[in-house]
Amino acid sequence: MSNNMTDLQAILFDTLRGIKAGTVDLDKAKAINDIGKTLVDTARAENDYIKATGANAGSGFIAPSLPPGSISEATGSGTKTTTQLANGASVTVHKMRG
């Protein structure tokens, strides 16, 4: 399990199927639902933080995080992320705010 939104959705759908099949009791389903809501709320807060600060990445729960060795910085019009590659080259990505 990689602890991302796709995994959460799979767990929630498995729980739903378990309820329908009678293999998951309602107390366990409610606990899974509550944890799922908390994770979604956390992801929403992370997304709001990224928007407010102009950051280029978060924890990787919503979307993949930056590769190791990447440096992200705010520019006058958005963000610039530079990633060093193994062969010594680098890749720079500019994202405009808006």
Side-chain angles (χ1 to χ4, degrees):
M1 185 161 88
S2 57
N3 297 330
N4 59 35
M5 190 62 80
T6 302
D7 291 339
L8 175 61
Q9 290 172 335
I11 291 166
L12 294 174
F13 279 114
D14 287 345
T15 302
L16 180 61
R17 282 189 284 277
I19 293 168
K20 289 174 75 174
T23 58
V24 175
D25 66 84
L26 289 181
D27 287 336
K28 183 175 182 178
K30 287 178 183 177
I32 291 169
N33 182 56
D34 288 345
I35 292 168
K37 285 180 182 180
T38 300
L39 290 170
V40 169
D41 289 344
T42 301
R44 187 175 293 116
E46 180 180 317
N47 193 44
D48 290 346
Y49 172 81
I50 290 169
K51 286 180 183 178
T53 63
N56 202 21
S59 67
F61 180 68
I62 301 171
S65 57
L66 291 174
S70 296
I71 299 171
S72 184
E73 60 186 275
T75 65
S77 57
T79 58
K80 174 178 90 170
T81 304
T82 304
T83 304
Q84 289 298 128
L85 303 178
N87 64 3
S90 65
V91 175
T92 301
V93 176
H94 297 271
K95 290 194 178 180
M96 301 296 286
R97 211 179 358 240

